[in-house]
Amino acid sequence: MKTKLLGKTPEELVAAAASCSLKPFVGRQLAEWLYVKKATSWERMTNISKESKARLQEKFDLGFSEPAGVARSSDGTVKYLFSVGEGEYVEAVMIPDEDRKTLCVSSQKGCRMGCRFCMTGRGGWHGNLDAADILNQFLSIPEAGDLTNAVFMGMGEPLDNYDSLERAISILTDEKCFGWSPKRITVSTIGVLPALRRFLDTQRCHIAVSLHNPFPDERLAFMPVQKAWPLRDVIDLLKEYDFSGQRRVSFEYTMFAGWNDSKRHADALIRLLSPLECRVNLIRFHKIPDFPYECAPDIRMEEFKNRLNNHGIVCTIRASRGEDILAACGMLAGAHSQQ
């Protein structure tokens, strides 16, 4: 089986060229074609000789694969389905918003965190994506050249696949590759310790923590990982770091009617997060099969938001996107039914 070139760093591409008895400049050309010019075929690499490409093709595949399906929302959101193995698929979502185009990226085939209200978690975990599978989501869509931001909030828990995440981020932020600033990237996590500490120590990207309930026993009922990585431990770790500069920490809080939307919950959340410099994003729950709860009413969400803001915690209600194509938060399942 041939090795993928996609997902290799510029230095590794130079080494790949050397393994084919090619000069270092060929490896540098590969990096430019893959990550700067976003060439998804050998034919487009016009300044690499036919002989050099023939040698490379004996040992390597580029590693690209086109989407296996596309679904388009009435609000402009586009969901792409990617094959990542025999019978296995992941989804990525492109979200347009004025002058921004954000890609919501998947990092795993499914997820083993088991949150009761998430379609991805219900399907279980089927393996990690490698860096090539992650970067292919950026490069094999029509909007590849127009993307402005990325959120690792698709299928999977990014910090449960740390090595692939780190490699993908290193290529996204390498000036010889995508050349993105780390502040264009947000990584979502349920709070995987100690991978979270490793991320905070080595990366400068934004971090978003899936919180959803400030009371440990209530959170555990919907989020089994509360037992392994208690929320209090996650918050205590975050309070060791400075978020007053360019790097931000935010908390994702999906609103359920009668479960986490009361004044009691808002006040507990205020006590838990203070004095951490942070933002809370309230998310509308999107109904999924066989789950008894509904989204909190809009008026309750406004009251919750105002209470947090009045106590010094910046809180916003996130606009839902792509619900009509099952592309909104918690709805990705990698179902091979897209057309």
Side-chain angles (χ1 to χ4, degrees):
M1 186 174 180
K2 295 181 182 180
T3 302
K4 299 175 186 176
L5 291 177
L6 185 61
K8 291 186 179 294
T9 66
E11 295 75 19
E12 290 169 339
L13 289 171
V14 168
S19 73
C20 298
S21 301
L22 299 173
K23 299 291 186 181
F25 75 85
V26 177
R28 293 191 289 272
Q29 289 174 321
L30 283 171
E32 183 176 15
W33 281 113
L34 290 173
Y35 302 129
V36 180
K37 297 180 179 178
K38 299 176 175 55
T40 56
S41 68
W42 292 102
E43 289 72 23
R44 287 188 58 193
M45 300 181 183
T46 52
N47 65 348
I48 300 178
S49 70
K50 289 183 179 180
E51 180 186 349
S52 296
K53 284 189 279 193
R55 289 193 201 177
L56 288 164
Q57 285 176 278
E58 288 179 4
K59 297 181 65 173
F60 300 104
D61 280 328
L62 291 181
F64 293 103
S65 64
E66 294 183 354
V70 181
R72 300 182 185 278
S73 169
S74 58
D75 65 19
T77 299
V78 186
K79 182 171 70 170
Y80 294 99
L81 184 75
F82 292 94
S83 174
V84 288
E86 184 139 1
E88 295 178 328
Y89 298 87
V90 298
E91 294 170 331
V93 180
M94 193 285 299
I95 307 164
D97 185 14
E98 296 181 354
D99 60 343
R100 294 161 63 100
K101 287 188 177 179
T102 300
L103 189 67
C104 181
V105 189
S106 291
S107 55
Q108 293 183 306
K109 307 170 192 178
C111 183
R112 53 182 162 196
M113 299 299 108
C115 296
R116 312 284 187 230
F117 49 84
C118 177
M119 288 292 288
T120 306
R122 285 184 170 198
W125 179 77
H126 305 285
N128 288 327
L129 300 186
D130 61 22
D133 291 327
I134 293 172
L135 293 170
N136 184 64
Q137 296 169 64
F138 288 84
L139 294 166
S140 293
I141 62 175
E143 302 85 358
D146 301 323
L147 296 174
T148 61
N149 298 80
V151 290
F152 283 81
M153 295 182 181
M155 298 175 66
E157 161 56 60
L159 297 189
D160 191 38
N161 185 17
Y162 193 89
D163 289 343
S164 293
L165 172 71
E166 183 179 52
R167 175 174 284 269
I169 289 175
S170 73
I171 291 170
L172 287 169
T173 57
D174 191 317
E175 62 180 13
K176 298 175 184 176
C177 301
F178 283 67
W180 282 21
S181 164
K183 65 183 181 181
R184 294 171 63 179
I185 303 167
T186 300
V187 175
S188 178
T189 180
I190 209 161
V192 178
L193 303 172
L196 178 56
R197 182 181 290 278
R198 182 179 170 190
F199 178 87
L200 293 169
D201 285 342
T202 61
Q203 304 296 327
R204 303 306 302 169
C205 303
H206 303 312
I207 190 80
V209 177
S210 297
L211 198 158
H212 310 306
N213 198 306
F215 295 107
D217 54 339
E218 295 180 17
R219 189 172 190 258
L220 179 60
F222 279 14
M223 304 171 69
V225 294
Q226 169 67 22
K227 185 174 182 179
W229 300 298
L231 180 60
R232 169 58 68 181
D233 293 350
V234 175
I235 303 300
D236 286 346
L237 174 61
L238 290 168
K239 288 181 178 178
E240 295 179 20
Y241 293 82
D242 180 14
F243 293 100
S244 61
Q246 290 191 333
R247 180 167 65 170
R248 298 192 308 266
V249 60
S250 59
F251 294 91
E252 309 300 292
Y253 196 97
T254 303
M255 295 289 285
F256 300 89
W259 182 64
N260 66 350
D261 62 343
S262 70
K263 175 180 175 294
R264 177 176 70 95
H265 290 91
D267 290 344
L269 191 57
I270 292 164
R271 292 192 299 270
L272 178 69
L273 299 182
S274 297
L276 185 63
E277 186 86 17
C278 66
R279 174 186 295 270
V280 174
N281 295 315
L282 302 184
I283 301 169
R284 289 181 173 85
F285 171 61
H286 305 101
K287 188 68 177 174
I288 62 175
D290 304 319
F291 188 78
Y293 284 83
E294 303 283 343
C295 181
D298 284 352
I299 189 170
R300 185 62 64 89
M301 293 183 70
E302 287 289 342
E303 291 170 350
F304 200 99
K305 179 192 75 171
N306 292 339
R307 191 161 189 84
L308 266 63
N309 280 322
N310 290 339
H311 285 78
I313 294 178
V314 176
C315 182
T316 59
I317 298 174
R318 179 183 290 169
S320 294
R321 301 292 300 272
E323 186 173 2
D324 58 332
I325 57 169
L326 303 182
C329 293
M331 302 184 82
L332 298 185
H336 190 31
S337 59
Q338 318 293 323
Q339 298 294 334

